Amino acid sequence: MKLFYKNAIILSVLNIAIVLVLAGVVFESIKNDKVENILSEKQFEVDFKSTDVREVIRSNIEQTKLLSIMPEIQGIVKFTDYSSSGSFQFDQGFWSELLEEKFTEIIQNNPKIHQIQIFDFSGNELVHIISDSQGISVEENQKLRHSMEQGTLQKVTKLQNNEVTVSSISLNILDNKIETPHRPVQEITTPVFLSNGEQLGFLKITYDMQSFLYELSQSASGKTIIIDNDGYFIYHPDKSKTFGKELGTQINYFTEQPELEENVEKMDSKFHYDEQEKEYRIWDKIFFDKNDTSRFWVLLSVTTENELFLSVEQLRTDVQLIMIPFLVGTIITTIIISRHMSKPIEMLTEKILKVKKGETVTLTNTKGNNEISQLANAFNLMTKSLNQSQHTLKDYEQAMKKNLADAKKFYNQIDQSTAISKFDINGNLTYVNEKFCIMTKYAKEELIGQNQKILRSGYHDERFYREMWKTILSGKVWTGNLKNKAKDGSYFWEKKIIIPDEDSENEITGFLAIQIDIQDLMEKNSKDWV
């Protein structure tokens, strides 16, 4: 009997040693895999968010360009200039009402737009439309008091047609004071050119970036930080650190992390481990204004070592606390435990290897209070973390789909209110909408595939059309008034805007044309328009 106890004790100690060794191997495997997986996810998250930021900026820029060629905007800038010369009286109230109605539709489909401002060539404000929690309002003419800053005015005056200047994200200014509660905004300004190439004013659109910054901050673990090229926080989970330069706190990340400032000057992205602060940092530079590469944002994902190893270290502590009573119990129940131990360990190891390969597994049963149960809890925590990361990626995918849906709504709104057509580089029509068919009195089947020449009235000479084709084939937007002939032989005037469509290699593949019926205006004001 003594020999049995002796052998049982030896066997128990041997089993415990095996369990400890196996637990150590599993611990290290979980630890290494967890670090590798989380950092890989963080790298993907930073890349995804950076792409999302660039896409939002590109979308805002394209929308600003498109709005700058709207006839209503060109009209108010043009006639304000003509009115100042004393040639005729200009009813600015009429144009303001027209713009309010048009922009109300646009802002309703794009709630990110906070302000729309139109300035004349001298930088004086002509129109100011504001969208906030109170609704959409238009400043009265006598209250227009904003003038473009001289530095900004000098910069945008040098812009060519279809170019923009993009600001960083800053706090919105209301009545010469920072708006409370704080509203992060970004301003995009573009010149307004007429069809003859004359520049008469500027369009500035202010976008509300509050919800966008909130979406960027969402993360399954760690924290997301955004700083500008001077090191000041644009976003930080600690609100007291954001916009330190504007709010006077002067809190600067480059002051805290001087090596980051050096790295940012040398490279556009990097993975960095700070041994002193035990932090993993993954960052990427985002250039928001292609005309000025000295201005950019830095998007950082910061994860502490404690956050990475928390679950594993907690499991290690728990195992150490229960090891002594477990040793006593093992001496008594060695045979039972050894019989039931192998199978759970084998199943758990198999699932860990599946997770390592990237396969989806179900949660492990965590009943009991022994090493296997504790190890299963660690496995469950890791699986849960992975699932949360996948859910985060799905959230980003939904956000991207929402942006695409907003863009589609914006396009449909224009398509339903304006005559639109598309044609290839030979002039053959490839698409027309219902408004276009009503204007020309042709059916869609009669127009698709036909050359636009079937609409010519003979009013314009060949030189007129050659100049038009010369402009659009060079990649520039063409705007002008055309007298065309409908199917029934009647004539009609239209204001036409032609926008070249380019592929990824900047080759022109076709053109988008926006037609506005100006027959009534031509009949009433034929002398002014001609």
Side-chain angles (χ1 to χ4, degrees), residues 41 78 133 242 252 267 322 379 386 394 454 458 472 475 515:
E41 291 166 6
K78 177 179 180 180
S133 59
T242 58
N252 190 288
M267 58 195 74
I322 66 172
F379 172 77
L386 292 175
K394 289 181 180 179
I454 65 172
I472 61 179
Q515 291 84 198

Side-chain angles (χ1 to χ4, degrees), residues 120-269:
D120 62 18
F121 193 72
S122 300
N124 300 313
E125 192 175 42
L126 302 177
V127 175
H128 189 173
I129 301 177
I130 302 174
S131 173
D132 54 25
S133 59
Q134 304 300 319
I136 298 174
S137 60
V138 179
E139 292 254 353
E140 298 178 3
N141 293 343
Q142 59 269 26
K143 293 183 179 180
L144 293 175
R145 57 190 180 278
H146 300 92
S147 296
M148 193 173 292
E149 295 180 359
Q150 285 300 313
T152 304
L153 180 62
Q154 293 176 2
K155 186 176 181 179
V156 298
T157 303
K158 299 177 182 179
L159 295 177
Q160 300 299 314
N161 194 6
N162 212 33
E163 290 185 342
V164 301
T165 178
V166 184
S167 76
S168 183
I169 296 178
S170 59
L171 295 178
N172 189 48
I173 302 298
L174 185 63
D175 295 330
N176 297 321
K177 296 186 296 184
I178 296 176
E179 181 182 1
T180 305
H182 297 156
R183 185 197 302 269
V185 297
Q186 182 181 41
E187 298 174 348
I188 299 180
T189 308
T190 186
V192 177
F193 282 87
L194 301 181
S195 58
N196 60 3
E198 182 181 7
Q199 179 183 351
L200 291 181
F202 310 96
L203 170 66
K204 181 170 79 173
I205 298 184
T206 303
Y207 292 91
D208 189 331
M209 305 298 285
Q210 181 70 55
S211 60
F212 177 67
L213 290 177
Y214 174 76
E215 291 174 3
L216 286 181
S217 68
Q218 300 306 297
S219 180
S221 62
K223 60 185 177 183
T224 299
I225 297 173
I226 305 175
I227 61 175
D228 62 18
N229 49 273
D230 293 323
Y232 290 100
F233 292 101
I234 295 175
Y235 178 84
H236 192 283
D238 183 355
K239 301 300 182 184
S240 65
K241 294 186 177 182
T242 58
F243 299 103
K245 186 174 184 180
E246 295 173 76
L247 298 176
T249 62
Q250 299 299 324
I251 299 176
N252 190 288
Y253 200 44
F254 285 161
T255 303
E256 300 175 6
Q257 307 292 340
E259 81 286 350
L260 176 62
E261 182 177 15
E262 297 177 3
N263 290 330
V264 167
E265 292 179 356
K266 298 176 183 177
M267 58 195 74
D268 293 343
S269 61

